[in-house]
Amino acid sequence: MSTIFITGASGWIGSAVTDELLANGYSVTGLARSDASAAALEAKGAEVHRGSLDDPETLAAAAKASDGVIHLAFKHDFTDYAGAGHTERATVEAMLDAIEGTQKPFLLASGLVGDVTGRAFTEDDANPNHGPDSMRGGSENLALGYAERGVRPVALRFAASVHGEGGDHGFVAVLSSIARQHGVSGYLGDGRNRWPAVHRTDAARMVRLALEKAPAGFRAHAATEEGIPTRDIAEAIGRRLGLPTASIDPAEAESHFGWLSTFFGFDAWASSEKTRETLAWTPTGPTLMDDIASGAYDA
């Protein structure tokens, strides 16, 4: 039985990945910072490694003791995003150094945002972020570079919306909260910029398949819906909450959307065709519109 060390194992995506691996015969050791997280992991039948992203040495030891690593945790501190990126890079580098030369898999979370225009962002497109001062500390490119150093690194590029019933505190949940706060469900400009989406259970299954099948250096795209216009998302939230929908002037974006304004303006159209073919991944979960309409984001 393979033992996989998961950071972020009790989070929104990580808890689904933990369930998926346990259901398929893996042993899981999950990073837990709090007593509540530790208890949740133990209740599932996972082992617990106490620590945090600020303890790269102990995370390196846990990586070395495992048969593979799935790194999903990230400090989502938008008041110090540069600091979060530096922490991410130090954590990733410590774990990779610990398993260098072992051929162990190292899967890490990334995002579906590139610098291509006029077409979908594909698995063949490199992440534009390099170096410790770039987004997420340039961790994706750092990790993929270890393919030449005896590690099997795989980038897990998750859609902007990893949606589902209960527990999602991500972008769509924030948009719903902002709509209730302002009494209007807004979108930026003409709302034609697109966000990809994937159901949480489909994302978890893709992670397991990437662990089992992805070659070194592969970039896996967790996107069932490859590009939903943000206006459509805002209109769906408005219908569900009984609120009007309106365009927000980009000049007013920060005052209306707060920290989310930076991300809500991205056109993140992305393809997952190569991921589906390479991993034999067939998503089956509800769509984002299904989840919004069913009340998943009412609370």
Side-chain angles (χ1 to χ4, degrees):
M1 178 186 296
S2 295
T3 298
I4 306 301
F5 175 52
I6 305 179
T7 71
S10 60
W12 174 243
I13 299 174
S15 58
V17 172
T18 296
D19 290 342
E20 175 73 18
L21 293 188
L22 291 172
N24 284 274
Y26 289 88
S27 174
V28 171
T29 298
L31 176 65
R33 185 177 57 182
S34 67
D35 291 342
S37 294
L41 289 169
E42 288 172 343
K44 292 174 181 285
E47 297 294 321
V48 173
H49 178 87
R50 295 302 295 258
S52 75
L53 297 182
D54 294 314
D55 305 318
E57 294 83 5
T58 187
L59 299 189
K64 191 172 183 178
S66 72
D67 297 307
V69 178
I70 300 176
H71 175 51
L72 303 175
F74 183 75
K75 281 187 171 183
H76 292 284
D77 181 1
F78 295 100
T79 65
D80 184 18
Y81 201 66
H86 292 159
T87 299
E88 166 77 351
R89 189 175 184 89
T91 298
V92 168
E93 190 166 26
M95 289 191 287
L96 284 165
D97 284 347
I99 63 173
E100 184 176 355
T102 65
Q103 302 302 327
K104 291 179 181 179
F106 183 92
L107 284 61
L108 86 161
S110 186
L112 278 173
V113 177
D115 57 358
V116 301
T117 57
R119 63 172 176 83
F121 185 54
T122 76
E123 294 90 341
D124 292 328
D125 289 314
N127 188 306
N129 299 300
H130 295 268
D133 295 326
S134 63
M135 185 176 290
R136 297 183 76 101
S139 61
E140 178 181 313
N141 285 311
L142 172 68
L144 295 185
Y146 276 72
E148 299 176 355
R149 298 171 62 176
V151 179
R152 180 165 65 88
V154 178
L156 304 171
R157 292 174 168 176
F158 292 104
S161 172
V162 181
H163 56 89
E165 187 72 32
D168 182 4
H169 301 290
F171 290 159
V172 175
V174 174
L175 284 174
S176 296
S177 177
I178 291 170
R180 289 191 295 272
Q181 175 187 347
H182 290 283
V184 61
S185 183
Y187 55 90
L188 280 173
D190 61 14
R192 290 197 293 178
N193 61 299
R194 291 154 292 194
W195 269 13
V198 63
H199 192 268
R200 176 173 173 251
T201 56
D202 286 326
R205 190 167 65 257
M206 189 209 75
V207 172
R208 175 179 62 81
L209 291 171
L211 176 67
E212 295 171 350
K213 299 181 179 183
F218 188 71
R219 308 175 184 102
H221 282 195
T224 301
E225 298 171 274
E226 299 180 346
I228 308 169
T230 53
R231 178 171 180 166
D232 292 357
I233 296 172
E235 288 175 344
I237 292 172
R239 283 194 299 271
R240 178 64 196 182
L241 300 181
L243 296 173
T245 304
S247 171
I248 305 301
D249 189 321
E252 305 297 325
E254 187 171 353
S255 62
H256 186 90
F257 294 106
W259 62 264
L260 187 61
S261 61
T262 301
F263 301 95
F264 200 37
F266 286 155
D267 187 25
W269 177 28
S271 171
S272 62
E273 182 179 351
K274 189 172 183 178
T275 299
R276 297 177 195 233
E277 293 176 353
T278 302
L279 305 182
W281 177 55
T282 304
T284 59
T287 67
L288 175 58
M289 297 305 182
D290 289 338
D291 274 340
I292 294 173
S294 71
Y297 295 96
D298 287 359

